[in-house]
Amino acid sequence: MNVHEYQAKELLKEHGIAVPDGHAALTVEEAVAAAKKLPGPLYVVKAQIHAGGRGKGRFKELSAEAKGGVRLAKSIDDVEADAKEMLGNTLVTIQTGEEGKQVNRLYVTDGVDIESEYYLAMLVDRATGRVAMVASTEGGMDIEDVAHNTPEKITTITIDPAQGFMPHHGRAVAFALGLSGALNKACQKLAKQLYGAFTSLDCEMLEINPLVETKDEQLLVLDTKMSFDGNALYRHPKIEEMRDETEEDPAEVEASEYDLAYIKLDGNIGCMVNGAGLAMATMDIIKLNGAFPANFLDVGGGATKEKVTAAFKIILKDPAVEGILVNIFGGIMKCDIIADGIVAAAKEVNLSVPLVVRLEGTNVAKGKEILNNSGLPIVSADDLGDAAKKIVAEVKQAA
Ligand code: ADP
Ligand code: MG
């Protein structure tokens, strides 16, 4: 789960980490009120969307010369003008894709006199099973570009979670950023605090870009992105409350309400499968037959008829779906339950695309009987390969 910059900064602040003062705003009036609470005379108005690259982004509705999603404002009137231009408009950045994201929230924050910009991130590194700290002197840039063009400017420090953060980790980070004197000490302290925040909040990723050295020699977190392990959210009700569903794919939000693991993809063949492994295999075999899956969907082991119906509806809401492949192995879940769900859902939504069903396992004969007697044009398949071939052929034929 992701949160907005201003929310992430609140969390960091609670861990004693220095961030510029600022306030979130949903309206132009709130943005002005937020600016009035700050000392000035330099303010920064920042679009709050779950995507980076806002500074270099552009608004769809504004001219090409208009400023991006991070704007320096020299007066409260400028803050007001910027807020008017940004709120409700669509910001396109390298991370949003061409469709962009509507800006519904702003963050009005203190303008900082920057001496240098650095990069510092932390993430769970699955390869080592440890927390990796990634530091670079090339702050304020796209880290992907730095990694591509000048990989020697990126230092990775891994921390064994059993041992925890040690003073030498802090020294290594400060050294990687080339800091000396008081800043070096401040950086060591910051790295330790960040590790504390990262582990106690069950983060998946915590990125600071840029971390800045100010003209008066302070280290400040100017921009941050945080994402959290969804499986640990029950331990953090406060973070759960920060969820902004308008930033998420509506189909994925709906799926999570039914406890379905659904991820939207770019293809045209909808998949409903039980078990993540079988879902992956199903997607692979669709590709092997020359088509692309429209989604990943794991209905889980113990799905009910209601769950199957919901899954069906979610798949069909995607206008790109031209056919559906249901691939169920009835182990815990019985084939007749699935068949009931499929028939009920197909009738309810007036199914207008080809549907191929492959059932195997407990009560398979009963399940197939339900499908055959449904009066619906459901194509039955015997195995995974057969099912994929059939759905690809059906979709081609329908086109
Ligand atoms: P994004 O990464 O989405 O573009 P940032 O918050 O990193 O957004 O802002 C982009 C750039 O804008 C920063 O690299 C920094 O140079 C400048 N900037 C951001 N916040 C401030 C601030 N509070 N004061 C001064 N400059 C800022
Ligand atoms: Mg940034």
Side-chain angles (χ1 to χ4, degrees):
M1 190 198 120
N2 298 319
V3 297
H4 288 293
E5 173 197 0
Y6 76 93
Q7 295 165 325
K9 282 182 172 169
E10 268 168 36
L11 294 169
L12 293 184
K13 217 169 137 184
E14 283 170 16
H15 282 81
I17 294 159
V19 299
D21 255 354
H23 308 279
L26 294 168
T27 62
V28 176
E29 295 71 40
E30 281 177 20
V32 170
K36 283 183 179 158
K37 283 189 241 169
L38 299 171
L42 192 60
Y43 310 91
V44 184
V45 186
K46 309 181 81 172
Q48 298 296 289
I49 54 170
H50 287 185
R54 297 162 300 168
K56 292 190 191 108
R58 60 178 172 83
F59 281 95
K60 264 191 179 169
E61 296 83 355
L62 306 180
S63 73
E65 296 80 52
K67 288 192 273 178
V70 176
R71 300 177 170 202
L72 293 181
K74 295 202 171 91
S75 67
I76 300 214
D77 285 348
D78 283 357
V79 170
E80 185 173 8
D82 282 328
K84 270 190 189 145
E85 268 197 16
M86 294 162 85
L87 279 170
N89 279 338
T90 317
L91 184 60
V92 179
T93 80
I94 47 163
Q95 290 186 4
T96 61
E98 244 330 286
E99 71 274 19
K101 281 198 161 174
Q102 192 180 48
V103 177
N104 299 316
R105 299 180 197 209
L106 299 174
Y107 186 46
V108 183
T109 175
D110 261 342
V112 172
D113 251 345
I114 302 172
E115 177 68 34
S116 311
E117 298 190 305
Y118 305 98
Y119 179 94
L120 183 57
M122 242 176 262
L123 49 112
V124 178
D125 180 357
R126 289 174 193 275
T128 58
R130 295 179 177 197
V131 175
M133 273 196 162
V134 180
S136 174
T137 49
E138 306 305 289
M141 324 246 279
D142 295 325
I143 197 67
E144 292 83 359
D145 290 345
V146 181
H148 184 261
N149 302 330
T150 49
E152 69 282 2
K153 290 187 173 163
I154 295 180
T155 305
T156 304
I157 297 142
T158 52
I159 301 162
D160 182 343
Q163 190 188 36
F165 190 92
M166 305 295 279
H168 68 85
H169 294 125
R171 289 195 293 274
V173 172
F175 180 75
L177 297 183
L179 299 171
S180 55
L183 280 170
N184 184 297
K185 288 265 173 331
C187 179
Q188 293 186 41
K189 184 176 163 201
L190 173 72
K192 185 176 179 181
Q193 287 170 318
L194 286 172
Y195 183 82
F198 186 91
T199 48
S200 68
L201 297 173
D202 291 308
C203 287
E204 262 172 2
M205 202 257 329
L206 194 179
E207 182 185 56
I208 299 170
N209 190 20
L211 170 71
V212 300
E213 174 188 338
T214 62
K215 294 267 186 223
D216 55 1
E217 290 198 27
Q218 305 285 318
L219 271 187
L220 272 184
V221 170
L222 225 59
D223 182 22
T224 183
K225 239 196 228 172
M226 278 171 109
S227 68
F228 304 90
D229 180 353
N231 293 318
L233 274 181
Y234 73 96
R235 297 205 286 216
H236 308 284
K238 205 178 127 190
I239 297 174
E240 243 176 339
E241 269 175 36
M242 291 179 169
R243 187 165 179 187
D244 179 358
E245 288 186 349
T246 65
E247 289 287 332
E248 296 172 29
D249 184 300
E252 288 177 18
V253 173
E254 195 183 337
S256 73
E257 278 160 20
Y258 288 96
D259 219 6
L260 298 163
Y262 170 90
I263 294 160
K264 162 111 184 68
L265 301 168
D266 294 331
N268 59 348
I269 296 185
C271 310
M272 181 159 88
V273 189
N274 66 336
L278 192 58
M280 300 293 274
T282 305
M283 298 193 309
D284 278 348
I285 209 151
I286 288 173
K287 287 181 93 167
L288 193 65
N289 282 276
F292 287 90
N295 64 276
F296 168 95
L297 197 158
D298 172 11
V299 289
T304 57
K305 187 168 147 185
E306 287 69 35
K307 226 168 143 173
V308 172
T309 311
F312 229 84
K313 285 190 187 163
I314 289 167
I315 294 176
L316 282 167
K317 266 191 196 157
D318 176 358
V321 168
E322 292 172 1
I324 298 179
L325 172 55
V326 175
N327 184 21
I328 300 285
F329 185 82
I332 305 168
M333 185 193 256
K334 296 184 184 71
C335 292
D336 53 323
I337 304 268
I338 292 282
D340 270 340
I342 293 168
V343 171
K347 285 188 174 157
E348 209 178 314
V349 297
N350 282 324
L351 188 70
S352 57
V353 296
L355 171 63
V356 173
V357 180
R358 181 250 176 160
L359 287 179
E360 195 51 79
T362 313
N363 293 356
V364 63
K366 225 166 134 188
K368 283 189 172 167
E369 200 183 307
I370 293 169
L371 295 179
N372 289 337
N373 296 338
S374 67
L376 294 166
I378 298 171
V379 179
S380 192
D382 297 324
D383 59 40
L384 186 45
D386 182 41
K389 270 196 199 85
K390 279 183 173 155
I391 188 63
V392 173
E394 289 280 333
V395 166
K396 272 204 183 118
Q397 208 177 32

